[in-house]
Structure formats: C-alpha cells, structure tokens
Amino acid sequence: MNGFRAILVRDLRLALRQGMDSIMVVVFFVIAVVLFPLGVGPEPNILARMAPGVIWVAALLSVLLSLDRLFQADFEDGSLELMALGPAPLEIVVLAKVLAHWLVTGLPLIIAAPVLAVLMNMPADGFALLILALLLGTPALNLIGALGAGLILGARRGGVLLALLILPLFIPVLIFGVGAIEAAIGGFPARAPLLLLGALLAGALALCPWGTASGLRQALE
Amino acid sequence: MNRFEAEALDCRRGGRQVFKGLSFALSSGDALILTGPNGSGKSSLLRILAGLLPAAGGGLRWNDRPLAEDPDAHRGRLCYLGHLDAVKPALSVAENLAFWAGAGSGGANAGANAGSREAIGRALETVALTHLIDLPARFLSAGQKRRVNLARLALGPTDLWLLDEPATALDVETTGRLVETIDSHRLAGGMVVLSTHADLGLGTARNLDLGDYQAGTAAGAAGTAAA
C-alpha cells in the first residue's frame, strides 16, 4: 500500500508541475463538442437529440488522446523497471498510475461536461445522469485504455495502433453511457444502463491491471 | 549466510545467442565483476539476475531454493541500478529519492520513515550531494544524476546489489566513495554483482569475463583461447 501511495502522489505532483496534459485533454474535449453546433447548425432540437452521444464520443476521444503517454515517460527514463522491481506488485503500480491519470484527466472532463451539455441544449433532466454516467464510465475507459497503452509500449507509431486496439473495446461503455442519459431524458428508469456501466467498471478494475501488467513485463524484457 | 547461485544460464536476445552455459556461486560478502566487450551480455545478465528478463535456459537459486518459486521475495532482497537514471526532472532531488524509498527497487526494506528528510539527507551524504537536496533534478549533471541513483543504495538494507556500470560519468572522488560503500556493504554480509569497463580497485572480487561464454563468435573464440 506504501508503494501505491508513493506512485499516486508522485504522478499527481508531476501532473501539477507539468500541467499541460491535463489542460490539453479538457481543451480538446471542449473544442470537439463545440465543433458540432458549428457543423450541423444551431437547430436546438437536433442538438438536444445529439447531445448525449456527442458528449460521450468526445469524452472517449479525449481519453484516448491522453493515454499513449501513460507509461511512455516512465518506460523511457527507466522508472518503470525500478517500479517493477519495487515492493509493490506491478498490478498495483498500474492501478496507482491509472487512478492518478483519471484524477488529472478524467475529473476535469466530468466538470466540463455539464457546461457543454448546456451548450448543446440538452434537457435538464439528463444532467445528473450525465455526471453519474461519466463518473462510472471514464474510470472504466481509463482502465481499458491502460491495457492498450501497456501493449503498445515500445512500439513505433504507437498512438495510431492504440486507437485501433482500444476504440472497439470502448463501445460497450459508450452504448450504456448514452443509454443512461437518454433514459433519464425520456422519463424512463436509468437503473439498468447504470448498473451495466458499474459492471463494466468492476470488470475492468478486476481484469485490466493484470493484462496491463503483463504487457509492461513484456516491454521491460 | 546467504548463497546465490546461477547454473548454466543461457541468454537469447532477438534470436541471437548472447551467452551460454554461464554458472557462478556467490555467498555473503562476495563481489562478482562482469567484464567483456560491448554486447557480450553484461546488462542482460544483470537483468536476468534481477528477474526482469527470463533466462532462455538454466536456473537461479537463493539459499538452494529456486528463485522462480518466490519472485516477490527476490525483488525485496535486491537493489538494481540500471544504466538509465530514472530521475524525474520536474521533481527535486529529495522528492525523487522519497519516491524510490516508497516504490522503487531496494525500497522493500526501506521502512516507514525512509522517505523522511533525515533519511534522505543521510542517503545523500553517502554520495556527497547533501547541499543539492532541494534542487530540481533538471539542473543536475549526468554525473550528479548517477550519484542520486547511487544514494538509493543507502535508503534501505538489501542483500544483493546489481549495478550496471555504476561508475559511468562519476569523478575520481565519487568513484572512490562508491568503492568504499561497496566494501562496507560486503563487510556487512551483502553481495554485489556489477559490470564495469574500468578497474574500480575492489579488493578480493571475482572476475567473470562474459567473452568466455559466447557461442560461435570471433570474440568468444578469442576469449576461450585466452582462458
């Protein structure tokens, strides 16, 4: 547990001092959503209809954008092999790094999302569910994405490969994330899609650290 | 009294046989110096001993128990120093060391307050860098980064030190200090395996020329002839 805390604190500190990654991700998210009213025109009904899907797809792409650096810097400067030999198992190292990454890139997305929902003229009934669905969904996206980031470590042109590997795995999160918001807007119970999102998160939490850790071990050989 | 044995280790990298049939045995207080031409597998051997790289053949034993049985315990008893420095430029020297005390190689026995300022100050004293404790690491020179890394050895007690060319970029005085640190580690019953190209002047250390274990290369043939 000591190792977990040390890695979490260090990654948060690095993110705060270097700052750019976090800001870049949230700015990308905002710009990607803002492009839609400009592209399809300011028709309020069309925008309201599209809002949940657009926000989720933009969130998905923002997460993807930030992921290829997740292990890269530590891999290049040798920190990763020291952590692999440290007291904490590599699975715990992965969990700590993903949690730190979610705190600096995932949370700002969730804070920005309601503002963008207003911009997209999304009905107010969906706001609470939007935040709840993103709270359950973005950690799952980060965990799944870490799996891809671990696998492409050391490969050239890793970023494109990462998108090809990971985007298909993001689809269930997208479907149930949008489903929860649309159910709330339509006045239906959103319990089922939320439970499924929770299940996806629990599954990713249980499986992804193991897969990621074996990817990292492969890269360290 | 600990015993660390390697038996008939084979190493293969990218389809090429790097070395073959390498054996040695170390007990507490021993030092093994790896020499050999570039690419003869010194770093690979150290990575195999650390458990980062699986050997293509052969086995390792600690006190007559195969390492494969308990890789976690092995991680806890070694401190590995690779040729990469792993120093984060955005963190200060003290923050870098505190992180390693909590989560890096050699941190297992570091204890709860190894990340404290006093403990880090003591570790930096062994490499004569105490005055730079709060300097952001991006201002360190290559040799100073190396010294920050060497300070890791003093963070917590470990039985086995694996040092990959520890004297690279070090000045004469710090190299002398390193030799003293290694000597006192051996007196306290620790083991050291290190690779080097320069003669560090370690007393009673054994030499292992990896050139002798290479299969089918000109350098290997020459090494065998010389032996």
Side-chain angles (χ1 to χ4, degrees):
Chain A
M1 234 48 236
N2 223 344
F4 182 87
R5 238 195 66 203
I7 294 167
L8 182 64
V9 168
R10 180 195 73 147
D11 274 19
L12 290 178
R13 198 176 265 156
L14 281 175
L16 288 178
R17 297 229 176 123
Q18 294 168 337
M20 280 314 291
D21 280 1
S22 170
I23 295 170
M24 194 179 73
V25 170
V26 78
V27 168
F28 175 85
F29 179 54
V30 171
I31 290 178
V33 174
V34 166
L35 287 179
F36 279 86
L38 298 175
V40 299
E43 174 64 48
N45 291 332
I46 295 177
L47 286 181
R49 175 76 193 83
M50 290 186 349
V54 166
I55 291 175
W56 261 103
V57 170
L60 221 87
L61 294 176
S62 317
V63 168
L64 189 68
L65 185 74
S66 67
L67 276 170
D68 65 330
R69 298 293 300 165
L70 182 56
F71 299 113
Q72 197 69 34
D74 280 343
F75 177 64
E76 281 165 4
D77 73 6
S79 304
L80 197 60
E81 60 187 27
L82 292 187
M83 288 191 254
L85 292 173
L90 207 47
E91 288 79 10
I92 298 291
V93 172
V94 169
L95 264 183
K97 286 195 70 70
V98 171
L99 177 61
H101 186 257
W102 179 76
L103 287 173
V104 293
T105 62
L107 269 188
L109 292 189
I110 296 173
I111 295 165
V115 182
L116 294 172
V118 173
L119 184 86
M120 294 291 288
N121 192 34
M122 195 173 98
D125 301 336
F127 277 39
L129 260 295
L130 172 69
I131 292 171
L132 204 56
L134 282 172
L135 270 174
L136 285 172
T138 48
L141 294 180
N142 272 308
L143 283 163
I144 298 168
L147 189 63
L151 285 175
I152 60 148
L153 204 56
R156 275 181 300 150
R157 308 278 304 146
V160 183
L161 192 59
L162 179 68
L164 295 178
L165 276 175
I166 288 306
L167 276 179
L169 298 176
F170 280 178
I171 291 173
V173 179
L174 174 68
I175 291 174
F176 296 116
V178 174
I181 304 168
E182 290 197 327
I185 292 174
F188 302 108
R191 197 178 133 85
L194 278 182
L195 284 177
L196 281 163
L197 269 183
L200 285 172
L201 174 57
L205 203 55
L207 294 175
C208 290
W210 271 261
T212 311
S214 45
L216 295 184
R217 281 195 194 99
Q218 201 73 42
L220 283 174
E221 275 184 11
Chain B
M1 192 76 171
N2 291 316
R3 220 176 130 67
F4 185 40
E5 289 165 292
E7 203 180 272
L9 288 178
D10 288 356
C11 174
R12 223 174 247 285
R13 299 296 277 157
R16 188 179 72 94
Q17 186 92 44
V18 182
F19 56 75
K20 197 173 160 62
L22 188 150
S23 305
F24 63 81
L26 292 174
S27 4
S28 292
D30 281 351
L32 184 67
I33 297 180
L34 309 175
T35 53
N38 296 137
S40 57
K42 299 185 292 296
S43 297
S44 298
L45 177 58
L46 284 168
R47 293 175 74 84
I48 289 175
L49 298 182
L52 282 171
L53 180 69
L60 291 165
R61 283 197 304 271
W62 184 271
N63 294 340
D64 295 323
R65 287 189 56 203
L67 279 193
E69 275 180 19
D70 196 356
D72 289 354
H74 188 56
R75 282 207 318 255
R77 67 173 84 96
L78 66 85
C79 187
Y80 171 82
L81 207 132
H83 55 92
L84 293 168
D85 281 325
V87 173
K88 288 284 176 204
L91 302 179
S92 75
V93 170
E95 285 166 342
N96 269 298
L97 277 174
F99 168 64
W100 285 325
S105 174
N109 311 321
N113 52 5
S116 72
R117 222 179 143 72
E118 294 75 38
I120 286 166
R122 274 198 301 280
L124 281 171
E125 235 165 69
T126 63
V127 291
L129 274 186
T130 333
H131 56 295
L132 300 181
I133 186 164
D134 287 319
L135 191 77
R138 66 173 170 278
F139 300 119
L140 294 178
S141 73
Q144 286 171 330
K145 279 186 190 158
R146 200 72 194 149
R147 278 153 74 176
V148 172
N149 254 280
L150 289 169
R152 260 174 40 215
L153 296 171
L155 284 174
T158 40
D159 290 325
L160 174 65
W161 287 0
L162 302 171
L163 314 176
D164 198 349
E165 303 199 18
T168 313
L170 291 187
D171 54 32
V172 179
E173 197 198 323
T174 323
T175 310
R177 255 172 209 282
L178 171 66
V179 172
E180 279 169 31
T181 317
I182 291 176
D183 283 342
S184 59
H185 171 63
R186 288 172 62 193
L187 277 177
M191 298 174 207
V192 183
V193 182
L194 65 88
S195 68
T196 182
H197 287 294
D199 184 14
L200 294 177
L202 283 171
T204 67
R206 274 189 286 152
N207 249 312
L208 186 70
D209 189 346
L210 284 162
D212 298 347
Y213 294 91
Q214 297 195 303
T217 60
T224 320

